[in-house]
């Protein structure tokens, strides 16, 4: 085994099917975002915390009363 080679590299199709990528795509469509990668998605999630946490709630199909605010003392 060579130390400089990874044991496994996921295919683009595998990566696109991961829960994070599916959620990123869902948010991009819902909020008309252009998030090219995880770093851009992270920036959006920090800058738009209220939208992000509402999206988490909806995407994960949380059962319960959401309440009036998604984020308190953000």
């Amino acid at each position: 085994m060579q130390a400089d080679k990874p044991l496994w590299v996921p295919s683009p199709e595998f990566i696109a099917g991961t829960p994070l990528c599916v959620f990123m795509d869902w948010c991009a469509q819902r909020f008309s975002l252009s998030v090219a990668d995880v770093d851009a998605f992270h920036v959006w999630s920090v800058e738009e915390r209220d939208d992000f946490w509402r999206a988490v709630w909806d995407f994960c199909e949380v059962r319960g009363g959401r309440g009036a605010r998604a984020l308190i003392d953000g």
Side-chain angles (χ1 to χ4, degrees), residues 27-48:
C27 287
Q29 290 177 2
R30 181 172 183 177
F31 297 101
S32 300
L33 302 175
S34 177
V35 287
D37 55 25
V38 174
D39 292 330
F41 186 69
H42 177 255
V43 169
W44 172 79
S45 74
V46 172
E47 290 177 352
E48 303 296 335

Side-chain angles (χ1 to χ4, degrees), residues 8-20:
W8 176 72
V9 176
S11 68
E13 295 81 16
F14 182 90
I15 294 169
T18 62
L20 177 58

Side-chain angles (χ1 to χ4, degrees), residues 44-65:
W44 172 79
S45 74
V46 172
E47 290 177 352
E48 303 296 335
R49 289 177 286 191
D50 189 57
D51 285 343
F52 173 77
W53 287 110
R54 287 183 188 280
V56 169
W57 181 283
D58 293 341
F59 183 79
C60 295
E61 299 178 345
V62 174
R63 295 180 187 189

